[in-house]
Amino acid sequence: SMATQKPSGYRILPLRGLNDMVLEARFALPDFKDTEKLKTRMKINLLYYQTNYLLFLIVWPYLFGFLLPDLFLYGMGAIFVLPVTLLIISADNIRPSAVAPQTITLCFGALWSIFIVATGLWKSVFYFLVTMGLPFAAMLAHAATRYTSRQDTYHFHHSPMSHLLGFRYSVC
């Protein structure tokens, strides 16, 4: 059977139509009391629409990055300064052994926050976080609220989303 055959390599699924994905689809708030049903719905939708979601995750940040490039780039720079600096500070050969790593992280986080507010970069950081976070939130909201149908679940194969979700095989 299809479920027991080992597919060769990843298969990228085709883009699903706008009618199928949104316009003619049925949506409902998820039942948070029935977590198994919600997980199943989300997994099926994440797998079935994975190419659409990937395209959205790529196009959205580029669109808003080009819309206000200064805010986007300053926000991205401010966001990535923190982890890089923390990596440098937390290196064993630099960190004083008398100071706990958590203390260094907390102090640096506080200084970084003060720097962001004092320099006015908070708008840029907010713009960058919204630009990058909104596609993920929209993807998860769609996957949780769109009803699935039988046609969404009948073929199995190996895909990037199935790998991310921890499945050997996925629906197409």
Side-chain angles (χ1 to χ4, degrees), residues 70-150:
D70 292 350
L71 279 179
F72 187 80
L73 292 173
Y74 289 145
M76 183 173 60
I79 290 293
F80 290 111
V81 163
L82 177 63
V84 169
T85 307
L86 285 175
L87 284 173
I88 292 170
I89 288 176
S90 65
D92 287 336
N93 58 349
I94 298 175
R95 184 179 63 233
S97 59
V99 181
Q102 296 85 358
T103 304
I104 292 174
T105 303
L106 183 63
C107 290
F108 185 78
L111 290 173
W112 182 75
S113 299
I114 292 168
F115 170 77
I116 295 298
V117 171
T119 59
L121 285 176
W122 64 272
K123 292 177 193 172
S124 298
V125 168
F126 180 75
Y127 185 79
F128 178 77
L129 291 175
V130 168
T131 299
M132 297 307 288
L134 196 60
F136 286 101
M139 177 182 71
L140 293 174
H142 179 271
T145 58
R146 187 195 177 278
Y147 278 116
T148 58
S149 65
R150 280 267 179 223

Side-chain angles (χ1 to χ4, degrees), residues 20-21 25-28 36-49 53 142-154 171:
D20 177 30
M21 189 170 179
R26 293 181 343 166
F27 293 89
E36 284 307 311
K37 187 175 179 181
L38 176 60
K39 285 180 190 177
T40 301
R41 178 192 286 186
M42 289 188 72
K43 287 175 184 177
I44 289 171
N45 283 329
L46 286 169
L47 292 166
Y48 189 73
Y49 293 108
Y53 294 148
H142 179 271
T145 58
R146 187 195 177 278
Y147 278 116
T148 58
S149 65
R150 280 267 179 223
Q151 74 178 24
D152 300 344
T153 62
Y154 66 91
V171 298

